[in-house]
């Protein structure tokens, strides 16, 4: 794997919500889907496509109880694999008026190269646009480190009031584990804006 300092451009199809309803009774379930095309797939500061384009898509199911689950996939360019499929489940809940939290599990599955498969448990707390999250690997970490590798991240999302629809996203992360990406730190800055029914995003990451 090679770290890339790169500007990535992505277009995400507006998530379509499909809620099954019977008569006038709202459903407890909501389903959403998304499709994206990006100039580079960068994950935790590392390009997964060797600096090339990626086609990505996902599908999610959420329940009013706070439970949700989904699947997401992208092409990748790693040894003996060209496809990544992520399977995840989460539970979100409120801690107070301004604070919320989630706990979950995420499995990264790589077609044709199971040595890269990784499972993580995670927990996050959000408030005032900030989200602090910890992910803990319960399996080998992408074939480069043992279980117990941890990833700490802090994210911030801000809607730019002066320009309707424009949003800013900031990210900082640290990988902590033996041989895990050389204990790399990574960061990203992104701007998103709706364009002709899509969401266009320009991001810089390192």
């Amino acid at each position: 794997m090679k770290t890339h300092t790169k500007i990535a451009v992505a277009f995400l199809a507006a998530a379509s919500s499909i809620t099954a309803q019977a008569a006038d009774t709202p459903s407890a379930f909501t389903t959403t889907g998304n499709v994206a095309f990006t100039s580079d797939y960068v994950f935790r500061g590392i390009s997964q496509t060797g600096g090339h384009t990626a086609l990505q898509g996902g599908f999610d199911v959420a329940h009013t109880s706070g439970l949700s689950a989904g699947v997401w996939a992208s092409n990748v360019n790693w040894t003996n694999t060209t496809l990544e499929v992520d399977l995840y489940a989460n539970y979100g809940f409120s801690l107070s008026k301004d604070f919320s939290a989630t706990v979950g599990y995420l499995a990264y599955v790589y077609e044709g190269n199971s040595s890269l498969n990784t499972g993580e448990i995670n927990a996050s707390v959000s408030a005032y646009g900030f989200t602090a999250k910890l992910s803990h690997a319960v399996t080998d970490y992408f074939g480069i480190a043992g279980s117990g590798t941890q990833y700490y991240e802090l994210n911030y999302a801000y809607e730019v009031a002066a320009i309707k629809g424009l949003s800013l996203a900031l990210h900082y992360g640290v990988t902590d584990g033996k041989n895990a990406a050389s204990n790399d730190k990574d960061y990203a800055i992104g701007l998103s804006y709706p364009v002709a029914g899509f969401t266009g995003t320009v991001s810089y990451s390192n």
Side-chain angles (χ1 to χ4, degrees):
M1 295 184 299
K2 182 179 179 181
T3 301
H4 286 254
T5 301
K6 192 174 183 71
I7 293 177
V9 180
F11 282 91
L12 174 68
S16 58
S17 177
I18 307 171
T19 305
Q21 296 184 353
D24 295 326
T25 304
S27 172
F29 291 93
T30 300
T31 60
T32 57
N34 61 83
V35 177
F37 179 77
T38 179
S39 62
D40 192 5
Y41 169 23
V42 180
F43 174 74
R44 297 179 182 174
I46 300 174
S47 174
Q48 309 298 293
T49 52
H52 299 295
T53 58
L55 180 62
Q56 306 169 335
F59 182 79
D60 297 88
V61 179
H63 188 265
T64 53
S65 65
L67 290 170
S68 62
V71 58
W72 182 88
S74 175
N75 61 287
V76 295
N77 185 18
W78 279 28
T79 304
N80 299 325
T81 185
T82 58
L83 178 65
E84 172 190 336
V85 178
D86 298 348
L87 305 170
Y88 47 89
N90 299 284
Y91 175 64
F93 53 97
S94 295
L95 296 173
S96 68
K97 177 182 176 182
D98 299 310
F99 288 79
S100 61
T102 65
V103 292
Y105 179 81
L106 172 57
Y108 306 86
V109 181
Y110 295 89
E111 185 273 330
N113 192 349
S114 60
S115 66
L116 299 175
N117 293 353
T118 298
E120 292 180 336
I121 54 175
N122 56 73
S124 68
V125 177
S126 300
Y128 307 109
F130 289 93
T131 299
K133 184 176 181 179
L134 168 64
S135 298
H136 177 87
V138 294
T139 65
D140 284 348
Y141 186 76
F142 302 106
I144 56 177
S147 62
T149 296
Q150 299 188 108
Y151 183 72
Y152 305 89
E153 60 184 298
L154 179 64
N155 301 288
Y156 178 68
Y158 176 73
E159 299 292 331
V160 181
I163 305 176
K164 185 178 180 180
L166 181 66
S167 59
L168 169 70
L170 304 176
H171 163 84
Y172 181 76
V174 178
T175 303
D176 181 15
K178 185 177 180 181
N179 300 322
S182 301
N183 291 334
D184 271 348
K185 302 175 178 65
D186 68 274
Y187 63 85
I189 303 171
L191 286 172
S192 298
Y193 189 76
V195 180
F198 295 83
T199 298
T201 300
V202 177
S203 62
Y204 175 86
S205 58
N206 187 14

